[in-house]
Amino acid sequence: MTTPADDPHGLRVLAEARRPAPGLDGPPPPLPGFAASGFNPLVADTAERCLRAVHGEPPAPGRTALLLASASGDLDTARAIEQSTEPGRRTGPLLFFQSNPNAVLGHISARWGLTGPVVAICPAEAEPGRVPAEAYELAALLLADGDADRVLVVAVEQTPDGDRAAAVLLSAPPT
């Protein structure tokens, strides 16, 4: 686990989760309402594992912001939408819903009773399986502004070598 001294912004790391992870073979479980892509189930499963490490079962107390960081975005849904626009094909309405990265964050927020801000960013630099520096910087701002007591950051990248996700639950350092 990362220690507060490891974070350049001085934030406390309350919990971490990663996919893939030891003992977790195969894709994350399907997510009702999301089709054609493993991106959103990966976001939800990684977030779930991170939140459970601290809170056990939903709901989570206090104000927790959600921050999704992905340079690649949901490539599978983008491909499915592109293919559905070919002549003679019809685009399913779920593809439009899930093409918005905040849709899965709304699902997580509703499931866990989270009441903080919901933000999705496309960082300039991203390394699969790691939370980018930009996400830590934005989390620090959300905490400093008083918008949240905690920030759940989920970083997801889809690559030819496989999808990777990392989540951290952060809080401000103790005073």
Side-chain angles (χ1 to χ4, degrees):
M1 172 170 289
T2 305
T3 64
D6 294 332
D7 175 21
H9 302 285
L11 301 175
R12 286 181 57 207
V13 178
L14 303 174
E16 292 180 301
R18 296 195 185 291
R19 290 287 293 206
L24 292 176
D25 292 333
L31 188 60
F34 294 87
S37 175
F39 183 88
N40 291 305
L42 184 60
V43 171
D45 185 64
T46 308
E48 179 89 10
R49 291 175 185 284
C50 192
L51 288 167
R52 280 188 184 280
V54 172
H55 302 299
E57 296 292 320
R63 294 173 305 140
T64 301
L66 283 169
L67 171 57
L68 173 63
S70 180
S72 67
D74 185 351
L75 298 175
D76 294 336
T77 296
R79 278 189 214 99
I81 290 171
E82 181 182 2
Q83 291 170 354
S84 73
T85 60
E86 294 173 2
R89 298 201 60 184
R90 184 173 173 267
T91 303
L94 279 180
L95 291 178
F96 289 110
F97 163 74
Q98 77 184 35
S99 68
N100 178 342
N102 284 347
V104 71
L105 298 180
H107 168 83
I108 297 164
S109 181
R111 174 164 166 60
W112 281 87
L114 305 180
T115 59
V118 174
V119 181
I121 63 169
C122 180
E125 294 183 23
E127 182 181 335
R130 299 189 62 92
V131 174
E134 282 181 60
Y136 281 104
E137 292 167 9
L138 183 52
L141 288 173
L142 290 167
L143 292 165
D145 286 347
D147 291 334
D149 304 315
R150 288 171 301 285
V151 178
L152 175 63
V153 179
V154 183
V156 178
E157 296 302 331
Q158 291 188 308
T159 72
D161 298 329
D163 298 349
R164 301 216 178 282
V168 289
L169 183 61
L170 304 167
S171 70
T175 54

